[in-house]
Amino acid sequence: MREPPAGVAEADVLAAVRATWSSEVDAVAHLAVGFGAHHWVASTSGGPLLFVTLDALGARHSFASLSAAYAGAATLASAGLSFVVPTLSVVPFGDGALSATPWVEGEVAGSGPLACAEDARESAAQLAALHAADPPAGIPAWAPLVLADFAETLLARLDHPWDTGPFGERARSALCSHADDVVRWVATYHRLADEARTLPWVPTHGEPHTRNMIRTADGLVLVDWESLKLAPRERDLRTLVDSGHADLARAHPPMLEMFDLEWRLDEVAQYAAWFEAPHTGSASDEVAIGGLLEELDRPEWRDPT
């Protein structure tokens, strides 16, 4: 998120980090990165030591499911998957969950497609190793993120003005203009979800896009394992395919379509709730309205083969 979380004092984050992970930490600073969670760098003597995350708990995560995902990533790392950067642990913090991951020296691999063929081959090899690994005990299993009645309930919510902030009516108007699309997307998504239940499931990262890849001196590593789940392997393959490397993915096209729809519909659902609620026009609101319009207007998925 672009702004620090309301009602959370930096001093309290620092105290929790020192008590839980390292008494050597002497400062934390909010990072305006990512979206959906809040992040800080925890430093000692001016040098970064930990990447700290505050996740909200609710429909997407319970404390138990978040703990299981992070513990599963640690198991994968211990089993020899050196590209897995595991979170140390997760603890309750206010209404959410606070976690810490060792700081990784390097640079984010991008913000869109994979940068080059070498990155694509490295990512494909890493995902193949992940999908061949024994599933860690207790990791969550995938289930549709958007319910079958989402389109129906959304259309009912669009019947009244969204005068809750500067982007409410703009968001509502865009959703109204794509109402028929949403109905069709939901129906196709759940038809494909029925097929997904008949396929093999493997450990999947969930969001192995370039913003979750760090280029280090030893190669690419993969961070942000909160979305680790058992699922069809195509859950991890969209970045490879969308970057023009479908030959490396060897994916089942209907599952690529399903997870493309899942991303789109989940984004639409989250942003609809965002702009139906009170908002102020903050930097995060600006990013969110752009995200909503992008998901509504971007081209529909097509089989690249």
Side-chain angles (χ1 to χ4, degrees):
M1 301 293 283
R2 301 311 191 256
E3 303 85 18
V8 175
E10 200 167 84
D12 292 336
V13 176
L14 175 60
V17 170
R18 287 174 55 84
T20 307
W21 294 292
S22 175
S23 60
E24 297 179 3
V25 169
D26 53 29
V28 297
H30 184 261
L31 298 172
V33 298
F35 211 69
H38 292 278
H39 304 286
W40 294 262
V41 55
S43 303
T44 177
S45 300
L49 185 67
L50 299 170
F51 184 80
V52 180
T53 298
L54 178 60
D55 283 296
L57 301 178
R60 183 172 295 273
H61 291 299
S62 67
F63 186 81
S65 68
L66 198 61
S67 299
Y70 285 143
T75 298
L76 291 167
S78 297
L81 298 188
S82 59
F83 59 88
V84 176
V85 180
T87 292
L88 298 176
S89 61
V90 57
V91 296
F93 186 85
D95 295 331
L98 197 68
S99 60
T101 304
W103 186 265
V104 177
E105 289 295 340
E107 60 180 14
V108 176
S111 59
L114 291 155
C116 59
E118 182 179 353
D119 282 1
R121 288 191 293 270
E122 186 171 5
S123 178
Q126 291 176 349
L127 293 175
L130 171 62
H131 298 160
D134 292 332
I139 65 170
W142 173 84
L145 289 179
V146 177
L147 299 179
D149 66 351
F150 170 67
E152 178 183 351
T153 58
L154 176 64
L155 294 183
R157 289 156 53 198
L158 296 175
D159 280 344
H160 59 84
W162 289 6
D163 53 3
T164 53
F167 298 121
E169 276 300 288
R170 185 178 177 190
R172 189 178 76 92
S173 176
L175 288 162
C176 286
S177 69
H178 287 275
D180 291 342
D181 294 325
V182 173
V183 170
R184 177 168 46 81
W185 293 337
V186 171
T188 302
Y189 173 59
H190 279 275
R191 174 177 58 79
L192 293 171
D194 289 339
E195 179 181 348
R197 297 181 180 96
T198 71
L199 300 175
W201 287 22
V202 298
T204 60
H205 178 281
E207 296 185 1
H209 48 64
T210 52
R211 290 183 297 277
N212 282 335
M213 297 176 188
I214 307 296
R215 194 184 310 282
T216 73
D218 298 319
L220 297 176
V221 297
L222 201 50
V223 299
D224 195 7
W225 288 85
E226 54 89 15
S227 54
L228 174 66
K229 289 182 180 179
L230 280 176
R233 58 189 287 275
E234 285 78 9
R235 184 171 182 250
D236 283 343
L237 300 180
R238 282 184 54 225
T239 296
L240 275 172
V241 173
D242 291 349
S243 298
H245 299 283
D247 58 317
L248 298 176
R250 300 186 303 279
H252 181 45
M255 291 300 96
L256 286 176
E257 181 180 8
M258 186 192 74
F259 284 113
D260 181 78
L261 283 168
E262 176 164 277
W263 180 274
R264 186 196 298 265
L265 288 169
D266 184 44
E267 293 283 284
V268 168
Q270 291 188 68
Y271 292 139
W274 184 306
F275 291 115
E276 189 179 16
H279 58 282
T280 62
S282 66
S284 291
D285 294 335
E286 293 271 7
V287 174
I289 192 64
L292 173 62
L293 298 176
E294 178 183 357
E295 289 304 326
L296 290 173
D297 293 333
R298 70 177 171 87
E300 299 202 15
W301 186 87
R302 293 289 183 268
D303 184 349
T305 60

